Amino acid sequence: MISQNITFLAFLYFVQGLPYGLQTWFLPVYFRSRGMSLSNVGFFKLLLTPWMCKALWAPFVDRFATKKSWLMWSMMGLTLTCVIGSFSGPDFLSQLAAILFLFNLLTSTQDIAVDGLAIQILSSSELAHGNIAQVVGYKIGAVVGGGLLTWLSDYLNWMMLFQCLAAVYVFAVFAAWMFIPSNPDHFHDDSLTPNTCSKNSEEISQETNKCDIDDHSMQQRSENIGKNEVKSAFLLIIDHFKLMLRPEGTIWIAVYVLLYKLGEKGSLSMIPLFLLDQGLSTSVVGLWTGMMGQVVSITGSVLGGVIMSRYGQSTLGLLKTLSVIRTIVLVILCSLISAWSSAYQIFIAPAVIGLMLIMLLISGYITTATFTLMMECSQRAPASVQASHYTTLATLEVLGKLTFSVVTGWITDMTSYSIVFVLFTCLSAVIIPVFRYAPSILVQSTSHRRNKSR
């Protein structure tokens, strides 16, 4: 049975997904349909920079005030931003850019608070379902912010769309105020918290004890520094980041999340623009890539979480297998795009859309499995750095997805769709050899989950 905690987390992640869908699906199609170059459409994604930098202020969210306070203030700021945005139409690009940048700054801060809250309140048995809530909630938000807004834009003007978003944030503020206690321990019994649950090996236990000792030492230093001791405060931040690197597997996961979405994200961001340039209507492109595509991706995320929690499949083994299948799908997609002809469009277009849906299904599964690995690793970190640890890994994940997608439009303008999709395929294959170097503690973690499910 799904707990109240998981349901509420799903709602919070849904709220976070709204701006992502707005910028990933709605605005690119909207701008491209009005003649904006692929380069400028891609460069507009630079406004997502706060998501790549949020690890810089994650320690402040960890150490000052409560997660509830950060969550409440960030969502109130988002409400105000939506109201201002309703008076700044898409014809005023500079104003819209400033609003979207503030949108991302507030949403990324909200993300830090929600991730920290999730790590605190989810027990080890709830991790798989918790990550389903995270990924699926976020993607449903992206569907609403992207596909649904694209469809509604034919019936509602710009002001009404942003006022609808503001109403959602008002409801979210009220829900957070009512549901979240000031002390997160009130969510469930202390015996079920991640920090007191049994570990899967003696090695993990020893590692955690060592981290806790260091964590206690850092807390003592924190108590001893004076208000004006800037140097000591700087050392405290350095210690904070050192502690985040202590859990074994952190470096491997950091490298993995930087690479695993490079080819996939690039191709999925360019397929809608490619179909639009080949003469398909905006409504058709928005339906299949924005709404139906995300529904398929959500299905993959749910299947991934169910299989991991119910059948205990090896996360790393399945990730490797799915990465190979994803690369094969991209090879076929490359062939179809290279062979595109207006005479055969009636056959090739459905095939391209079908391959895109297969990739989205695989992507949903891979995302859920990856975020489960990330959260397991973060739970092995000391309590005072868990939110920062997870946020740093999540930031690297966003960095890997967005950095390349920013320049894909420029590369396409300079070359062609065929060449850029060959590049996507090569980038997708890069991640496969990385699995050979996965640390043993990650293998033990997935094996432990498999044994518990039996």
Side-chain angles (χ1 to χ4, degrees):
M1 183 176 179
I2 298 177
S3 70
Q4 188 180 25
N5 295 345
I6 292 175
T7 302
F8 185 67
L9 284 175
F11 172 72
L12 292 179
Y13 284 114
F14 161 80
V15 173
Q16 285 180 217
L18 293 173
Y20 178 80
L22 180 77
Q23 297 167 89
T24 303
W25 303 106
F26 173 67
L27 290 180
V29 172
Y30 182 91
F31 289 147
R32 184 60 176 171
S33 65
R34 283 158 178 77
M36 183 179 285
S37 69
L38 292 173
S39 299
N40 289 335
V41 170
F43 291 147
F44 222 78
K45 294 180 181 179
L46 287 172
L47 298 174
L48 293 165
T49 299
W51 283 91
M52 295 180 269
C53 302
K54 64 179 181 176
L56 297 178
W57 57 88
F60 295 96
V61 180
D62 261 334
R63 295 193 169 274
F64 298 101
T66 63
K67 301 299 187 295
K68 178 178 180 178
S69 298
W70 285 101
L71 197 57
M72 294 283 292
W73 283 108
S74 62
M75 290 194 297
M76 284 190 284
L78 286 165
T79 303
L80 180 60
T81 304
C82 287
V83 173
I84 297 173
S86 67
F87 296 99
S88 302
D91 294 331
F92 303 97
L93 288 182
S94 59
Q95 294 180 20
L96 180 60
I99 290 167
L100 291 176
F101 182 84
L102 181 59
F103 226 86
N104 289 310
L105 181 63
L106 293 168
T107 308
S108 60
T109 303
Q110 176 198 1
D111 182 66
I112 298 170
V114 176
D115 287 342
L117 195 65
I119 292 171
Q120 289 176 334
I121 70 175
L122 292 177
S123 65
S124 59
S125 62
E126 293 178 314
L127 274 183
H129 288 104
N131 280 283
I132 291 176
Q134 177 186 20
V135 176
V136 173
Y138 191 87
K139 287 183 176 180
I140 291 176
V143 170
V144 174
L148 184 60
L149 282 185
T150 302
W151 179 72
L152 286 176
S153 62
D154 288 336
Y155 307 97
L156 302 178
N157 60 33
W158 183 269
M159 178 179 289
M160 295 180 67
L161 290 174
F162 268 78
Q163 288 176 348
C164 288
L165 288 176
V168 173
Y169 284 115
V170 169
F171 179 78
V173 170
F174 178 76
W177 178 68
M178 291 291 294
F179 181 80
I180 304 175
S182 298
N183 183 1
D185 289 339
H186 293 164
F187 273 100
H188 52 64
D189 186 80
D190 290 342
S191 62
L192 295 178
T193 59
N195 294 326
T196 58
C197 64
S198 60
K199 303 299 179 182
N200 58 14
S201 70
E202 182 179 353
E203 180 182 0
I204 299 176
S205 179
Q206 292 174 350
E207 177 192 342
T208 304
N209 290 337
K210 181 179 179 181
C211 288
D212 288 339
I213 293 173
D214 291 329
D215 185 35
H216 179 67
S217 299
M218 189 178 68
Q219 289 175 348
Q220 286 182 332
R221 177 183 292 183
S222 177
E223 294 172 357
N224 293 332
I225 63 173
K227 293 183 178 179
N228 298 321
E229 295 179 348
V230 178
K231 183 176 179 180
S232 296
F234 176 76
L235 291 175
L236 182 64
I237 295 175
I238 296 298
D239 284 345
H240 190 96
F241 281 98
K242 285 182 178 179
L243 280 177
M244 289 194 300
L245 296 176
R246 286 294 178 87
E248 187 178 350
T250 298
I251 301 299
W252 185 89
I253 293 178
V255 173
Y256 170 76
V257 298
L258 270 172
L259 299 176
Y260 86 117
K261 288 278 189 178
L262 283 177
E264 172 197 300
K265 188 62 180 179
S267 61
L268 290 176
S269 66
M270 293 305 295
I271 287 175
L273 304 180
F274 170 77
L275 294 174
L276 202 64
D277 286 350
Q278 303 309 313
L280 274 70
S281 66
T282 303
S283 59
V284 170
V285 172
L287 172 66
W288 286 103
T289 64
M291 297 183 68
M292 297 301 297
Q294 288 305 302
V295 169
V296 171
S297 181
I298 291 169
T299 302
S301 297
V302 173
L303 287 175
V306 169
I307 290 173
M308 285 189 295
S309 62
R310 201 171 278 184
Y311 302 104
Q313 295 296 312
S314 169
T315 304
L316 290 177
L318 283 171
L319 281 174
K320 182 178 180 180
T321 301
L322 290 172
S323 297
V324 172
I325 296 174
R326 181 178 61 183
T327 303
I328 294 173
V329 172
L330 269 171
V331 171
I332 301 173
L333 186 62
C334 273
S335 303
L336 289 177
I337 289 176
S338 299
W340 187 282
S341 170
S342 57
Y344 300 101
Q345 178 172 315
I346 191 174
F347 303 108
I348 300 179
V352 169
I353 293 173
L355 290 171
M356 179 199 69
L357 295 178
I358 293 173
M359 281 191 59
L360 286 167
L361 183 70
I362 296 172
S363 173
Y365 191 113
I366 289 176
T367 302
T368 298
T370 297
F371 275 75
T372 299
L373 284 179
M374 289 162 53
M375 191 165 285
E376 286 175 342
C377 187
S378 295
Q379 287 189 339
R380 294 196 297 270
S384 64
V385 299
Q386 284 182 345
S388 298
H389 185 278
Y390 188 83
T391 292
T392 301
L393 294 178
T395 299
L396 294 174
E397 199 261 352
V398 173
L399 182 65
K401 290 191 298 187
L402 293 181
T403 301
F404 184 63
S405 65
V406 168
V407 298
T408 52
W410 177 78
I411 295 174
T412 307
D413 278 339
M414 296 296 102
T415 57
S416 66
Y417 279 110
S418 299
I419 292 177
V420 82
F421 272 90
V422 170
L423 179 58
F424 295 150
T425 304
C426 295
L427 289 171
S428 179
V430 166
I431 194 62
I432 298 173
V434 175
F435 289 100
R436 295 180 55 188
Y437 304 98
S440 59
I441 196 169
L442 296 179
V443 179
Q444 292 171 2
S445 178
T446 56
S447 298
H448 174 69
R449 193 189 316 113
R450 183 168 63 251
N451 292 334
K452 283 184 67 177
S453 67
R454 292 175 179 172

